[in-house]
Amino acid sequence: MAAPAALQRSVVAPAGRHTASLIFLHGSGDTGQGARTWIKQILNQDMAFQHIKVIYPTAPARPYTPMKGALSTVWFDRYKISNDCPEHIETIDSMCRGLTDLINDEIKNGISKNRILVGGFSMGGGMAMHLAYRFHRDVAGVFALSSFLNRESAVYQALTRNDGVLPELFQCHGTADELVRCSWGEETNKMLKSLGVSTSFHTFPELNHELNQTEIEKLKTWIVKKLPIEDK
């Protein structure tokens, strides 16, 4: 089988010496550039750091069942947008391979795995949880914004066989989210906590399926806590 093509990406370079990397996965139907622009509009500037490279990859277009099979830039397929149905595990695992290549690119650039954070918005956050908790448990941490895992998720099954240290999870959700219910995110958080993940769950009143400035500023504070500047 041919190796998957390298993912397109939009990159915000660090202002100073590059000693850590952050991979931000967009929501369904978006692009890396789109997610970067959205955050830039909210903050009135790029989400940028002195020492952290911020990478926004773009998911390849694939047929998406919730859109009646129309092509969409999604990280994986879903049978429906619900937490109460099976996961489309073949497409999830295929994308985990593509994103592993992205992580390996950073390692080749001299960045240790424990200096890499993965996360994203909506489907991007779900993808990041699969990537980290099933395949890359030595990353620095995981963030999931307006995201969830299905009730019978392969992530939960993988963690029942865990006996090592797991990356911390930073989760945010709007209480007025009409697409991905806040209760789905909360259930995901409780389940991961019960399986040994150190988690936090931050709710934002009246926020729908979107991001806001308070949330991104809180995320930035957490990012710098997990990836502090190295004195060398």
Side-chain angles (χ1 to χ4, degrees), residues 192-219:
L192 289 170
K193 188 171 272 188
S194 76
L195 291 164
V197 178
S198 171
T199 71
S200 58
F201 190 79
H202 308 274
T203 54
F204 295 83
E206 297 170 32
L207 188 68
N208 201 326
H209 195 62
E210 56 194 339
L211 299 170
N212 70 12
Q213 187 172 352
T214 311
E215 180 182 12
I216 297 171
E217 294 293 357
K218 199 178 273 273
L219 172 64

Side-chain angles (χ1 to χ4, degrees), residues 83 129 144 146-149 151 156 169 171-175 180-194 199-204:
N83 68 343
M129 289 187 274
S146 309
S147 307
F148 73 100
L149 291 171
R151 282 187 177 146
Y156 303 147
L169 173 66
Q171 224 178 322
C172 295
H173 219 114
T175 59
V180 175
R181 288 180 200 157
C182 191
S183 60
W184 298 359
E186 216 160 357
E187 197 176 293
T188 298
N189 192 278
K190 282 179 182 160
M191 191 70 182
L192 289 170
K193 188 171 272 188
S194 76
T199 71
S200 58
F201 190 79
H202 308 274
T203 54
F204 295 83

Side-chain angles (χ1 to χ4, degrees), residues 10-200:
S10 180
V11 174
V12 181
R17 193 168 67 86
H18 176 208
T19 64
S21 295
L22 167 75
I23 297 170
F24 190 109
L25 305 178
H26 62 73
S28 58
D30 202 355
T31 62
Q33 184 61 47
R36 175 183 174 178
T37 301
W38 186 24
I39 289 172
K40 193 173 182 175
Q41 284 167 345
I42 294 168
L43 295 178
N44 290 318
Q45 59 184 11
D46 266 315
M47 182 168 72
F49 302 90
Q50 186 66 25
H51 59 299
I52 305 168
K53 181 206 277 188
V54 184
I55 306 161
Y56 296 94
T58 295
R62 69 162 80 245
Y64 190 43
T65 301
M67 288 173 54
K68 299 185 167 62
L71 285 181
S72 186
T73 48
V74 290
W75 297 109
F76 51 87
D77 198 5
R78 293 188 190 283
Y79 295 104
K80 56 182 178 174
I81 300 173
S82 164
N83 68 343
D84 203 15
C85 67
E87 290 177 318
H88 205 291
I89 201 70
E90 305 82 40
T91 54
I92 292 171
D93 287 358
S94 160
M95 202 63 247
C96 281
R97 289 191 289 274
L99 289 166
T100 292
D101 290 345
L102 191 56
I103 290 172
N104 288 339
D105 284 349
E106 291 311 293
I107 294 167
K108 283 174 200 156
N109 285 332
I111 304 302
S112 309
K113 185 94 83 78
N114 65 3
R115 297 281 294 167
I116 298 173
L117 279 176
V118 296
F121 174 72
S122 192
M123 175 185 268
M127 185 76 241
M129 289 187 274
H130 274 274
L131 185 66
Y133 293 118
R134 292 176 58 214
F135 301 106
H136 296 284
R137 293 179 183 170
D138 43 356
V139 294
V142 184
F143 61 93
L145 316 174
S146 309
S147 307
F148 73 100
L149 291 171
N150 296 41
R151 282 187 177 146
E152 304 295 321
S153 177
V155 173
Y156 303 147
Q157 291 162 33
L159 290 180
T160 57
R161 301 183 294 276
N162 168 65
D163 54 5
V165 179
L166 297 164
E168 183 185 323
L169 173 66
F170 177 91
Q171 224 178 322
C172 295
H173 219 114
T175 59
D177 195 325
E178 292 169 3
L179 183 68
V180 175
R181 288 180 200 157
C182 191
S183 60
W184 298 359
E186 216 160 357
E187 197 176 293
T188 298
N189 192 278
K190 282 179 182 160
M191 191 70 182
L192 289 170
K193 188 171 272 188
S194 76
L195 291 164
V197 178
S198 171
T199 71
S200 58

